Amino acid sequence: MEAYATYFVNDEKEPLRYGKINLINPPRQRLRGEPLLEGVEAVPVFCGFCGTDFELMNMGKKNALSGKFPEGEKRLINGHEGVVWVPAENRFAIVLIRGGDSFDPTRFTEDESYFEYGCDGADGLFSDRNFFNPDMLLHLPKEYEGIKKLPLSLAKKLVFSDPYACAVFQHERMSDIGAAQSFRVIMARDKCSADEAIEKAKEETFERTVIFGLGTTGLFIGDQIRRNHPKAKILFIARSDESAAKVKFAKKHIGADYLCSFNLSEKETAEKIKEHFGSACSAFAGTSGTETESRIAFEHGALGCNGIYDSFSLGPKVTFDTMPFGFKNHVILSSINFTQKHMEEAIEILAKSHFDELVEMIDKNEFTSAPIDAYINKIYCKGAPLKTAVIWNKEYISEDE
């Protein structure tokens, strides 16, 4: 079967292309022990752009994509965020992106393997049609079952299912590690049982939380903390002006405070954090993609004793002086994944959220006529929207809000 799609290749000048290609449908496995299943046909309806797409394009420029191509192919259809229509089941679905020969493909081990639709070893969503493992086509919330057109506002919310699922997992990890980190101290302090201390420790982990970076990743982690810990104090830090839409969103919908670090040194930023909370923070989530994060937390003392540091950025090095690190009993965690359970929870939350306010659209023809230019000069340029998406098939979208 042929279809029009955008796809990555190894090419210094044209690593991202749009055109007609042959689709493949190899049997794939959702989890170890499950059968290999051929994909069922699905029609991508609404697709979002992720920073991973931009990184893959740059890898193609460097001739470094071969390991990402589906077996036997020399191209990868990109796209891993969005909603598809499944003709055989007469319904919309969210594609569970990661599967493979592993018990949990988000936490695979050395003797296990995985694939990711649109990212690694399997074609993705930016195609007029494609094939996906039928067990990896997740349902929309029950109230939307049976609809034949997807409301645009709902599509905008659900485009975040993949990254928001990461935040659900991230909160889970921070809670688990925060509880293990502090419950014995709380048992001694409050003369209570281990079970009681674990629950208290989970709350105290987020008592004074800094989220460094105000992209969607930071917003989603903040939203998860607020939903699960209503009394938590959350401080976002970024370079954006107070009047920025994402700052207003964080204040209004997450109930967070904000510190603009644009004219502040790293030391001054750390001092402002301690001034804001009245002490150092209990949890620090780095989401900005810069090494400034860890220096503010460790070198300048923004993270308090027994605090946990969640490194959610890809790229920067995390550095610390082992002497104060050890005596302050800090913990660093880093895990950027999610499971089907997390994605299903994300779908339910997003459907009732306000995150559609963060999405701006690009016309499909504008994108497909010059995809590289669109990536560089509109989708990922300075001042670009927090999230850009495209209606891939207007037949299934209702634009009447």
Side-chain angles (χ1 to χ4, degrees):
M1 182 185 294
E2 292 184 328
Y4 282 92
T6 60
Y7 55 96
F8 293 121
V9 296
N10 282 320
D11 190 296
E12 183 179 350
K13 294 182 178 179
E14 196 181 1
L16 177 60
R17 303 172 181 180
Y18 176 73
K20 185 184 290 187
I21 62 173
N22 288 314
L23 299 178
I24 59 173
N25 189 15
R28 299 191 187 280
Q29 197 172 13
R30 181 177 62 169
L31 294 171
R32 178 166 285 195
E34 294 186 353
L36 288 162
L37 299 176
E38 285 194 353
V40 297
E41 183 179 338
V43 178
V45 173
F46 191 86
C47 305
F49 299 89
C50 173
T52 300
D53 301 325
F54 192 55
E55 178 59 27
L56 290 170
M57 185 180 77
N58 289 328
M59 288 175 66
K61 287 182 180 180
K62 300 173 185 176
N63 197 39
L65 270 183
S66 297
K68 300 291 186 182
F69 296 146
E71 186 175 356
E73 301 295 322
K74 294 183 178 180
R75 87 294 179 278
L76 171 70
I77 298 174
N78 60 307
H80 58 280
E81 298 179 351
V83 186
V84 302
W85 173 259
V86 187
E89 299 180 25
N90 206 30
R91 69 176 178 95
F92 292 101
I94 305 292
V95 180
L96 176 63
I97 297 304
R98 184 181 278 210
D101 183 22
S102 54
F103 294 111
D104 181 347
T106 67
R107 307 277 289 279
F108 68 95
T109 59
E110 289 79 3
D111 67 333
E112 297 177 333
S113 62
Y114 74 94
F115 68 87
E116 289 183 322
Y117 286 118
C119 298
D120 198 336
D123 289 327
L125 301 181
F126 281 102
S127 176
D128 290 344
R129 57 191 65 249
N130 215 330
F131 299 96
F132 304 98
N133 183 310
D135 292 337
M136 297 175 69
L137 293 168
L138 306 185
H139 285 258
L140 271 58
K142 288 183 179 179
E143 59 264 37
Y144 296 105
E145 290 291 341
I147 63 173
K148 298 298 185 288
K149 283 187 176 288
L150 188 69
L152 180 59
S153 60
L154 179 62
K156 288 180 177 180
K157 296 171 185 178
L158 295 178
V159 79
F160 290 118
S161 298
D162 182 310
Y164 196 95
C166 288
V168 176
F169 177 56
Q170 208 65 202
H171 168 259
E172 180 181 278
R173 291 281 287 158
M174 292 175 78
S175 294
D176 290 349
I177 291 172
Q181 166 79 331
S182 300
F183 84 95
R184 294 188 184 279
V185 175
I186 294 173
M187 282 177 66
R189 183 193 72 194
D190 295 352
K191 307 294 189 291
C192 61
S193 68
D195 287 344
E196 291 173 315
I198 287 171
E199 293 307 309
K200 288 184 178 182
K202 289 179 180 179
E203 291 301 315
E204 292 185 17
T205 293
F206 301 99
E207 200 167 49
R208 303 176 307 282
T209 299
V210 165
I211 300 175
F212 199 90
L214 197 53
T216 53
T217 296
L219 285 170
F220 294 157
I221 291 175
D223 188 67
Q224 267 295 288
I225 292 171
R226 174 59 68 222
R227 288 173 184 274
N228 289 280
H229 309 277
K231 295 181 180 179
K233 294 180 180 179
I234 303 171
L235 176 66
F236 280 98
I237 301 176
R239 295 169 60 84
S240 301
D241 186 84
E242 290 270 357
S243 62
K246 57 186 178 181
V247 175
K248 293 180 180 179
F249 187 95
K251 289 181 175 181
K252 179 180 179 181
H253 295 300
I254 300 178
D257 295 316
Y258 179 70
L259 172 64
C260 175
S261 62
F262 180 69
N263 288 317
L264 299 176
S265 67
E266 293 175 0
K267 183 177 181 181
E268 288 170 334
T269 302
E271 291 303 316
K272 288 285 187 182
I273 291 170
K274 288 183 276 190
E275 180 183 321
H276 177 81
F277 291 124
S279 65
C281 65
S282 56
F284 193 113
T287 71
S288 73
T290 68
E291 293 183 14
T292 299
E293 302 169 344
S294 63
R295 291 197 295 265
I296 289 173
F298 299 117
E299 183 178 336
H300 299 289
L303 184 62
C305 290
N306 307 306
I308 65 171
Y309 183 92
D310 183 5
S311 177
F312 201 82
S313 294
L314 289 175
K317 294 180 180 179
V318 176
T319 58
F320 56 89
D321 185 336
T322 56
M323 181 68 80
F325 178 81
F327 277 95
K328 289 185 177 180
N329 199 34
H330 287 150
V331 169
I332 298 175
L333 68 116
S334 182
S335 48
I336 304 176
N337 287 309
F338 61 88
T339 67
Q340 180 172 331
K341 173 179 71 73
H342 298 125
M343 195 171 219
E344 289 171 339
E345 183 177 340
I347 291 168
E348 293 290 337
I349 291 171
L350 288 168
K352 298 178 177 65
S353 76
H354 297 274
F355 284 113
D356 54 314
E357 296 175 16
L358 303 177
V359 182
E360 294 188 23
M361 306 300 298
I362 185 172
D363 180 75
K364 181 182 178 182
N365 290 333
E366 179 185 356
F367 170 58
T368 57
S369 63
I372 295 176
D373 181 72
Y375 269 42
I376 294 173
N377 295 313
K378 184 164 185 177
I379 301 170
Y380 299 111
C381 65
K382 185 176 182 180
L386 205 57
K387 171 64 70 174
T388 301
V390 59
I391 298 175
W392 203 260
N393 192 316
K394 290 187 177 182
E395 178 184 347
Y396 296 98
I397 289 285
S398 171
E399 298 186 57
D400 298 327
E401 298 297 331

